[in-house]
Structure formats: C-alpha cells, structure tokens
Amino acid sequence: MMDNNAPATARRGGSVRNTPARVSIWSAALGVALIVAIFATPMFWLMYGQYYTFAMFMFGVVAIPAGHLGRRRGKRLDGRDRGLALVGILAGWLLLLVVALLVLAYGGLIIGQAFLFGSAR
C-alpha cells in the first residue's frame, strides 16, 4: 500500500526522476571539466583566467543547493539518485575550494609584483 505523500507518478508505477540531483551532478561535472581545461589549455587560462574562475564559482554555487534538494527528494523517492546528489555536493564544495585558492593565488601574484616593482626604485 502506497502512502499518500508519494508523488502521483510513483503511485502509478511510472518512473520518477530526481531532477535536482541530476542538475547538481551536471553542474559539478562541468566545473571539474573547467579544472581539467586549466591544465589542458594553459595559454587560454593565462588569457581568460577570470572567466574560468567565475564559471567554476557559479557551477559550484549551483551544485551545492541542487545536491541538497536532490538528497531531500531522494528520501521521498526511496533513495533514488541520493548518491548522485551527494557526489554533486562534494564536487561543488571542491570547486569552491579551488576558486578560493585561485583567488588567493591571484592576490599573492599582484601583491608580489607590487613589492617587486616597488623595491626597484
């Protein structure tokens, strides 16, 4: 006997998709692909690093809440795609960590150049 809180498609026996979990994993995968692209195309990274960093930040920001929504929805769908949502959450936090390290590296580079050119006088 199905409970009344289950979605109508699950009661009919149809397939129910956990869309937030899938959004989370796709967003995280695209962000990780950008990290791979940094190492694969260093010249583009030097020219357009701010765009890579911003895109990684946005993919991470989308992956984390979508993953949490996917985990919550997965509870109602008998665990469907809960692991996928968890991977999206973890990869989203990894993306934000990489972005924070990149911003610190940019700042260190700018401060280092300021000291270098300031001491040349």
Side-chain angles (χ1 to χ4, degrees):
M1 179 174 199
M2 298 290 282
D3 65 335
N4 292 333
N5 294 334
T9 53
R11 281 182 263 161
R12 288 187 298 227
S15 66
V16 178
R17 300 173 93 185
N18 191 346
T19 305
R22 294 179 189 267
V23 168
S24 174
I25 196 67
W26 273 105
S27 180
L30 289 172
V32 171
L34 280 173
I35 293 174
V36 171
I38 289 170
F39 294 108
T41 59
M43 184 55 104
F44 286 131
W45 171 250
L46 291 173
M47 293 188 312
Y48 305 114
Q50 68 273 15
Y51 300 119
Y52 280 85
T53 306
F54 179 73
M56 278 192 287
F57 175 75
M58 292 308 296
F59 287 136
V61 166
V62 169
I64 294 168
H68 284 291
L69 288 172
R71 295 273 297 169
R72 186 177 310 150
R73 183 166 176 172
K75 277 184 186 178
R76 288 185 280 148
L77 298 175
D78 295 327
R80 184 176 182 119
D81 292 337
R82 287 193 74 193
L84 200 65
L86 181 62
V87 170
I89 293 168
L90 294 175
W93 281 111
L94 174 73
L95 288 172
L96 292 183
L97 176 68
V98 169
V99 166
L101 291 175
L102 287 173
V103 169
L104 286 173
Y106 291 148
L109 182 65
I110 291 171
I111 291 171
Q113 286 180 347
F115 280 126
L116 180 66
F117 291 124
S119 65
R121 290 183 185 199

